[in-house]
Amino acid sequence: MAKKITVIGPGTMGTGIAQAFITAGFEVVLIGRSEESLQRGMAIIKARMDKAAAKGKLSQQEISSAMGNLKLSANYDDGRGSYAVIETVSEMAETKMEVFKLAEEHIHSEILATNTSSIPISKLSEAVKDRSRFIGLHFFNPVPVMKPVEVILGKDTSKATAEAALRLIEECGKVPIEVIDYPGFVANSVLMPMLNEAIILLEKGVSTKEGIDTIIKLGLNHPMGPLELADYIGLDVCKDIMDSIYNETHDMKFKPAEMLIQLVSAGKLGRKTGEGFYLYKQER
Ligand code: 3HC
């Protein structure tokens, strides 16, 4: 029988993770707070699959089988019997901890995983009674395309949970990499100072936004320039990650650049709002 997974939070990461698991043959319960957000999440997954079908990468049969593996729910009890819970709600410790209290009480899974980008795993694990089952699984955006997953061990994560999580990630076709509970783990520890530095260079007028992005794209062979990537991730998300790492480390390289703070307070959050460093046609 296919393994059952519960994904909590039908946003960008949650829908991407759900898509990766249903495509790999897992049964997925996607939990959200409102019917509207769940329907939107499902429409995003279906649209991505239809795009893949239009390119001849998926058949209609594969799409209907994958979509048949997806169940939407606003009720944690529907997740009961899940092998793993993967939480992808907003990057606020209190919100995530509330979710884990409910997940542990209602779902009883072998693995309790958070997709946090920067909050310490050991801190979030304080929300649950059995911390040995708690682990970080940090996926990358866009999840259906990006292969690596950081598997972050909290101070109480058991060896059995770590091994089960590594196996689970492999079973969904991704590449798990074990890391310790270090501020920003590996990816954001490297990425956030780079994005911040690009913004500081823009503030200082060292080059234009297009200039900075083109140099990094072509000169360092990155798929996107840093400003374009920050818009893609979401400027609010970048700022939240930097704040979280800065609060833990007090390392100036994580202190959000003034221009980032201003764009976020003006509601210019990147692609999702139609404007960040660049202007975008409004996307769904
Ligand atoms: N969802 C699913 N699939 C998508 C997608 C999405 N949102 N966006 C693009 N794709 C797929 C396309 O369908 C296409 O698939 P195919 O090759 O099988 O046909 C493939 O990705 C390439 O897409 P495109 O040809 O449309 O566009 P590009 O070649 O420009 O690639 C990109 C788009 C994959 C987003 C590429 O620009 C890229 O890799 N950018 C960098 C992304 C990155 O760095 N992500 C990490 C962010 S950091 C993070 O997530 C951590 C967090 O904590 C902040």
Side-chain angles (χ1 to χ4, degrees):
M1 207 180 74
K3 267 185 192 155
K4 179 171 166 182
I5 303 288
T6 294
V7 177
I8 304 175
T12 306
M13 298 307 284
T15 54
I17 293 168
Q19 184 180 338
F21 278 100
I22 56 172
T23 311
F26 286 76
E27 189 190 330
V28 173
V29 180
L30 181 59
I31 294 186
R33 276 183 301 192
S34 71
E35 183 59 24
E36 191 200 343
S37 65
L38 285 166
Q39 288 300 335
R40 196 170 50 231
M42 187 165 75
I44 290 170
I45 296 175
K46 178 74 170 44
R48 282 196 213 119
M49 289 197 171
D50 287 342
K51 227 169 167 177
K55 290 185 188 168
K57 302 201 166 178
L58 272 181
S59 67
Q60 285 308 324
Q61 164 76 45
E62 285 165 324
I63 296 183
S64 60
S65 149
M67 292 306 289
N69 290 334
L70 181 66
K71 180 170 183 194
L72 306 178
S73 176
N75 185 350
Y76 281 64
D77 289 325
D78 286 332
R80 192 156 288 178
S82 287
Y83 181 65
V85 167
I86 305 178
E87 164 280 315
T88 69
V89 304
S90 48
E91 196 68 356
M92 281 177 290
E94 307 74 52
T95 314
K96 287 181 181 292
M97 289 168 90
E98 260 327 294
V99 162
F100 278 113
K101 278 193 191 121
L102 290 170
E104 184 179 45
E105 193 184 320
H106 291 267
I107 301 179
H108 311 293
S109 58
E110 304 287 317
I111 299 173
L112 284 164
T114 173
N115 179 56
T116 181
S117 333
S118 58
I119 304 172
I121 303 306
S122 301
K123 174 177 175 166
L124 293 177
S125 74
E126 286 168 14
V128 303
K129 295 191 188 100
D130 182 359
R131 297 178 193 170
S132 71
R133 289 185 292 147
F134 201 94
I135 199 158
L137 292 178
H138 181 221
F139 291 77
F140 295 79
N141 186 20
V143 179
V145 180
M146 307 302 269
K147 284 282 180 194
V149 178
E150 289 181 293
V151 177
I152 308 123
L153 275 56
K155 65 177 165 39
D156 299 315
T157 309
S158 71
K159 200 163 180 281
T161 300
E163 281 166 4
L166 290 164
R167 249 190 335 269
L168 178 70
I169 295 303
E170 274 171 357
E171 282 166 15
C172 95
K174 303 277 179 208
V175 178
I177 300 115
E178 196 175 306
V179 305
I180 62 163
D181 197 6
Y182 179 82
F185 319 130
V186 170
N188 284 321
S189 225
V190 173
L191 177 62
M192 290 302 147
M194 183 184 80
L195 302 187
N196 213 23
E197 194 57 37
I199 302 168
I200 292 168
L201 292 176
L202 182 64
E203 283 174 349
K204 288 181 176 167
V206 176
S207 185
T208 60
K209 55 184 183 250
E210 293 84 359
I212 294 167
D213 277 346
T214 305
I215 290 166
I216 301 302
K217 230 168 122 167
L218 302 184
L220 305 184
N221 220 2
H222 288 198
M224 288 175 168
L227 301 169
E228 193 190 354
L229 180 57
D231 275 355
Y232 182 75
I233 294 169
L235 300 186
D236 53 338
V237 175
C238 292
K239 181 179 171 297
D240 283 349
I241 296 173
M242 288 183 207
D243 279 335
S244 164
I245 306 177
Y246 179 71
N247 289 338
E248 271 180 73
T249 61
H250 299 288
D251 186 334
M252 288 303 285
K253 64 177 182 269
F254 294 105
K255 193 168 191 307
E258 199 47 46
M259 192 183 278
L260 179 62
I261 296 170
Q262 280 170 13
L263 284 167
V264 171
S265 47
K268 295 176 181 173
L269 308 181
R271 279 202 196 195
K272 61 186 165 192
T273 58
E275 186 173 357
F277 292 103
Y278 295 93
L279 280 172
Y280 301 89
K281 275 193 241 141
Q282 202 63 43
E283 300 186 332
R284 262 283 92 227

